[in-house]
Amino acid sequence: MKTLAVGSGKGGVGKSTVTVNLGVALAKMGYRIGLLDADLYGPSIPIMTGLREMSPDTTVDGEGKRKFLPFQKFGLKIISLGFFLDESRSILWRGPMLHGMLQKMVSEVEWGELDLLLVDLPPGTGDVPLSLGQILKIDGAIIVTTPQEVAMVDALKAANAFDQLKIPVIGVVENMAGFQVPETGETYAIFGEGKGEELAHKLGVPLLTSIPLLPAIRRGGDEGIPSAFHFGDEGAGEVFQSLSSKLISNNV
Amino acid sequence: MKTLAVGSGKGGVGKSTVTVNLGVALAKMGYRIGLLDADLYGPSIPIMTGLREMSPDTTVDGEGKRKFLPFQKFGLKIISLGFFLDESRSILWRGPMLHGMLQKMVSEVEWGELDLLLVDLPPGTGDVPLSLGQILKIDGAIIVTTPQEVAMVDALKAANAFDQLKIPVIGVVENMAGFQVPETGETYAIFGEGKGEELAHKLGVPLLTSIPLLPAIRRGGDEGIPSAFHFGDEGAGEVFQSLSSKLISNNV
């Protein structure tokens, strides 16, 4: 099993959206995919997969230890910190608490056989990647950014953090590229343009894809049905199919 | 002097953009405004105010202690953690390190006379608000969100964190509301709609404003000239003028 982290530097660039849709697209290709949502501050995966306010079942392993069973949905095995927290409460995490929680999440889940574990990191370069780097062997990372200067600068920081943790960055995904008006076909670069390409160039890695601002993608997230799961609607499915093919051909 | 924190729960919702433009609009009304950028992971204020890669001057106070002088620009006094960090490097902050750095920032800056100190918090509910709540007396907080469900859920968490820290939430700002196509006037709710109002209702506080997706606001941030500073262009200045008037009339 390989482990691929998805990070961003800046929050709100669509990291969780990319992670869940990439996972669904890879699962459609026949890979056995696990999804670990390690975003302690705002675990969005339960909402995006329609598993809000649900708690995973447990089982007992060969050594008599209790293990959590990931949810199986959209072809993915899914575990989120959100399953263990009250959605409306917030925890003011201090570092050591967080480290313990992550360790629990990683060691007490019965994933079964997986080809790839996708890890949705929190934005920023705080305790979580540092702790996860100690707990898990992470084989590579992709960085999600938007076409904005401020997002690119933070993405460079995230890349630098992965570098310090000796995790190779294997590619960049640009999200929220131009919005195309459905009626006229005109495209508006609301969040700017070109920074995904520039970031990939600076890091010496490929730009894996540039995802347009498709309301269907956002809607899929809010409604709990990842848009990569059903094709057609505004072409969102194809975007993630192409991303997953590119990842595979890059030998991940 | 009053201190107002700007938080968000979810990252990338435009918290720094709202903070800096609100500050500029209040300064234009004649108030003496300080801006403390406490976003350790991705301090965006230096970019948004054209102060990238600059370092503040120092002075010596009456007791012989070295103090940092905030930059004065766009009518604001500005201090950012970004001034003390290398933009391309990232620091994997552990909690205690972070606490020390914040304490330094708060105690070693010579703000002079201020009416209001705006504090741009990092997204999430981690160590920073917890530490700042111990270091500074914060009089109130505003919460920035987008019209998305996933942003609202995180915003509720942020509100809950402020509640635990006994900091009253005084209002909600919705950012990234509809995009209006300049040529046709047609509006597209790319990020959904209505969640700012719903959040304000849940928290029992006013929705201070709903800011449309104006490319001019994003551009102002990337170019280092807050759009509230110059009027006219797509009406961005008016949006923040109305927000600042509403804040004042809400007796902040």
Side-chain angles (χ1 to χ4, degrees):
Chain A
M1 181 189 80
K2 289 202 170 184
T3 299
L4 183 65
V6 184
S8 68
K10 190 165 169 59
V13 298
K15 184 181 44 58
S16 299
T17 301
V18 168
T19 310
V20 72
N21 281 292
L22 170 62
V24 168
L26 286 166
K28 283 199 162 201
M29 291 172 78
Y31 294 96
R32 294 166 301 177
I33 307 293
L35 172 51
L36 174 64
D37 175 12
D39 189 345
L40 287 152
Y41 305 119
S44 306
I45 298 294
I47 297 176
M48 292 183 175
T49 54
L51 294 169
R52 226 165 147 166
E53 288 171 31
M54 299 187 79
S55 296
D57 271 342
T58 55
T59 182
V60 175
D61 73 0
E63 296 163 32
K65 280 195 195 131
R66 193 180 71 141
K67 296 264 187 173
F68 294 104
L69 288 169
F71 284 100
Q72 301 203 30
K73 204 167 173 185
F74 308 116
L76 302 176
K77 291 188 174 175
I78 304 166
I79 281 289
S80 167
L81 282 166
F83 298 148
F84 304 95
L85 308 173
D86 179 343
E87 191 177 281
S88 65
R89 287 210 65 234
S90 86
I91 298 183
L92 296 158
W93 294 96
R94 285 291 190 192
M97 238 170 101
L98 187 155
H99 190 86
M101 183 73 180
L102 285 173
Q103 196 138 34
K104 210 174 142 76
M105 297 284 310
V106 170
S107 63
E108 297 182 12
V109 174
E110 186 66 57
W111 289 104
E113 287 288 305
L114 292 180
D115 297 310
L116 179 69
L117 179 65
L118 288 171
V119 184
D120 186 11
L121 293 177
T125 52
D127 282 310
V128 175
L130 194 52
S131 288
L132 271 181
Q134 291 164 2
I135 296 168
L136 263 179
K137 191 192 159 311
I138 298 176
D139 299 293
I142 59 180
I143 294 184
V144 182
T145 189
T146 69
Q148 289 167 277
E149 178 73 16
V150 290
M152 191 191 66
V153 168
D154 288 1
L156 276 172
K157 283 210 185 89
N160 181 271
F162 284 128
D163 199 48
Q164 290 179 49
L165 296 169
K166 315 259 181 267
I167 299 171
V169 174
I170 58 166
V172 167
V173 170
E174 183 180 70
N175 193 27
M176 304 193 193
F179 170 66
Q180 192 178 43
V181 175
E183 291 78 9
T184 64
E186 191 86 41
T187 298
Y188 294 84
I190 301 179
F191 289 103
E193 49 195 333
K195 293 295 169 181
E197 188 69 60
E198 190 178 329
L199 175 67
H201 184 76
K202 282 188 180 179
L203 299 177
V205 300
L207 175 65
L208 297 168
T209 192
S210 178
I211 304 172
L213 259 180
L214 293 174
I217 297 178
R218 192 273 313 156
R219 216 159 43 231
D222 275 358
E223 290 171 0
I225 304 170
S227 54
F229 191 66
H230 49 85
F231 280 65
D233 194 7
E234 298 178 31
E238 286 78 0
V239 167
F240 293 106
Q241 195 182 28
S242 134
L243 169 60
S244 58
S245 306
K246 197 137 177 199
L247 256 190
I248 297 298
S249 67
N250 272 268
N251 231 332
V252 175
Chain B
M1 181 189 81
K2 290 204 170 180
T3 299
L4 183 66
V6 184
S8 67
K10 191 165 168 58
V13 299
K15 183 181 42 60
S16 299
T17 301
V18 167
T19 310
V20 71
N21 281 292
L22 170 62
V24 168
L26 287 166
K28 283 198 162 201
M29 291 171 80
Y31 294 98
R32 294 165 301 177
I33 307 293
L35 171 52
L36 175 63
D37 175 13
D39 188 346
L40 286 151
Y41 306 120
S44 306
I45 298 294
I47 297 176
M48 292 182 174
T49 53
L51 294 169
R52 225 166 147 167
E53 287 171 30
M54 298 186 80
S55 296
D57 272 340
T58 55
T59 182
V60 174
D61 74 0
E63 297 165 30
K65 282 195 194 132
R66 193 181 71 143
K67 295 265 188 173
F68 294 104
L69 289 169
F71 284 100
Q72 301 203 29
K73 205 168 172 185
F74 307 117
L76 302 176
K77 290 187 176 174
I78 305 166
I79 281 289
S80 167
L81 283 166
F83 298 148
F84 303 95
L85 308 171
D86 179 341
E87 191 176 281
S88 65
R89 287 209 64 239
S90 85
I91 298 182
L92 296 158
W93 295 96
R94 285 290 191 192
M97 237 169 103
L98 188 155
H99 190 86
M101 182 74 180
L102 285 172
Q103 198 138 33
K104 208 174 143 78
M105 297 284 311
V106 170
S107 63
E108 298 183 11
V109 174
E110 187 65 56
W111 289 104
E113 287 288 305
L114 292 179
D115 297 309
L116 179 70
L117 179 65
L118 288 170
V119 184
D120 185 11
L121 293 177
T125 52
D127 282 310
V128 174
L130 194 51
S131 286
L132 270 182
Q134 291 164 2
I135 296 168
L136 264 179
K137 190 191 161 309
I138 298 177
D139 299 293
I142 59 180
I143 295 185
V144 181
T145 189
T146 70
Q148 289 167 276
E149 179 72 16
V150 290
M152 191 191 68
V153 169
D154 289 1
L156 275 171
K157 283 209 183 91
N160 181 272
F162 285 126
D163 198 48
Q164 290 180 48
L165 296 170
K166 315 259 181 267
I167 299 170
V169 174
I170 58 166
V172 168
V173 171
E174 183 179 71
N175 193 27
M176 303 193 194
F179 170 65
Q180 193 180 42
V181 175
E183 292 79 9
T184 64
E186 191 85 40
T187 298
Y188 295 85
I190 301 180
F191 289 102
E193 50 195 334
K195 293 294 167 180
E197 187 70 59
E198 190 177 328
L199 175 68
H201 182 77
K202 282 188 180 179
L203 299 178
V205 299
L207 175 64
L208 297 169
T209 191
S210 179
I211 304 172
L213 259 180
L214 293 175
I217 296 178
R218 193 272 313 156
R219 216 159 43 230
D222 276 357
E223 290 171 359
I225 305 170
S227 54
F229 191 65
H230 50 84
F231 279 64
D233 193 8
E234 297 177 31
E238 285 78 1
V239 168
F240 294 106
Q241 195 182 28
S242 133
L243 169 60
S244 59
S245 305
K246 195 133 178 204
L247 256 190
I248 296 300
S249 68
N250 271 269
N251 232 333
V252 176

